Amino acid sequence: MEQTIKKLKGHDQMLKNFIRIVIVLCTIGSACLLSKRSFVKYLPVTLFSSASVLAEILYFTVHKLWKVKGGPGSLICNTSILVLGPYFFGTLLSFQLSKGKLLKYALINIIADFIYAFPLIKLFKKLDFFKLKVNSIQFYVLIVTNAFLNFGFQKFYERVTLPEKTSD
């Protein structure tokens, strides 16, 4: 595996483009799993969440905690692909699969965030796709916290926008 990664690093730009294509294809595949009803119901929380993550990426970039090799163009490309791709549709899917139940939502996010924070981030670092200068545990705590913030936002949004049920 290590030799394969070293060989692939020699073809840096081609590898990054391949990763981008794989991410886009996986995103399209996950988008097909969404129902129209779930998309509409959970779009506000997904937009809120995506905006929060973009703000975090801006913070990480300004404070040099997140680095993308290749300059501003690569930074914008990778950010766009990750946030508008798997993050956006992953948020929608986690809400659809959990059906608004906290325990299901928590389990889905704890597992998915673990996979992202540990093996995937490590792989992205090895492939020079991007580098985080925070450790995986700190990053994991951040993204799990984001997930619970999103759940709270969704519950608040439902309470504010859905008409109250009256008992006559």
Side-chain angles (χ1 to χ4, degrees):
M1 179 74 172
E2 290 290 324
Q3 282 184 337
T4 305
I5 290 174
K6 285 180 184 178
K7 285 180 185 177
L8 290 174
K9 277 187 177 180
H11 305 302
D12 206 30
Q13 192 57 41
M14 188 169 64
L15 176 63
K16 288 177 184 175
N17 288 336
F18 176 74
I19 293 170
R20 292 173 182 139
I21 290 168
V22 168
I23 290 171
V24 168
L25 291 175
C26 289
T27 299
I28 291 168
S30 69
C32 294
L33 300 173
L34 281 171
S35 71
K36 183 180 177 182
R37 183 175 180 267
S38 289
F39 182 83
V40 171
K41 181 176 181 178
Y42 301 120
L43 183 60
V45 69
T46 301
L47 292 173
F48 165 78
S49 181
S50 296
S52 298
V53 167
L54 286 171
E56 289 170 4
I57 289 172
L58 177 62
Y59 177 86
F60 272 48
T61 302
V62 167
H63 294 282
K64 300 184 184 340
L65 298 171
W66 190 65
K67 188 175 181 180
V68 175
K69 192 175 179 182
S74 292
L75 176 86
I76 291 169
C77 184
N78 290 356
T79 300
S80 299
I81 285 174
L82 290 171
V83 174
L84 300 176
Y87 187 80
F88 185 89
F89 287 96
T91 301
L92 288 166
L93 275 173
S94 66
F95 275 102
Q96 177 178 298
L97 293 172
S98 68
K99 297 177 177 44
K101 305 291 185 217
L102 179 60
L103 184 57
K104 279 185 178 180
Y105 180 81
L107 288 173
I108 290 167
N109 278 281
I110 287 169
I111 293 167
D113 291 347
F114 182 86
I115 292 168
Y116 183 59
F118 293 94
L120 285 178
I121 292 295
K122 187 175 182 177
L123 178 64
F124 284 143
K125 282 180 182 180
K126 278 189 175 186
L127 297 174
D128 280 338
F129 194 66
F130 63 80
K131 292 185 193 275
L132 281 174
K133 292 189 179 179
V134 295
N135 69 45
S136 291
I137 294 171
Q138 292 169 323
F139 185 68
Y140 179 70
V141 169
L142 175 67
I143 58 180
V144 168
T145 301
N146 285 347
F148 285 103
L149 180 64
N150 294 341
F151 190 84
F153 178 90
Q154 180 62 26
K155 289 301 176 184
F156 172 77
Y157 181 79
E158 288 173 1
R159 189 173 292 151
V160 169
T161 60
L162 295 177
E164 294 261 342
K165 293 181 182 177
T166 58
S167 55
D168 289 274

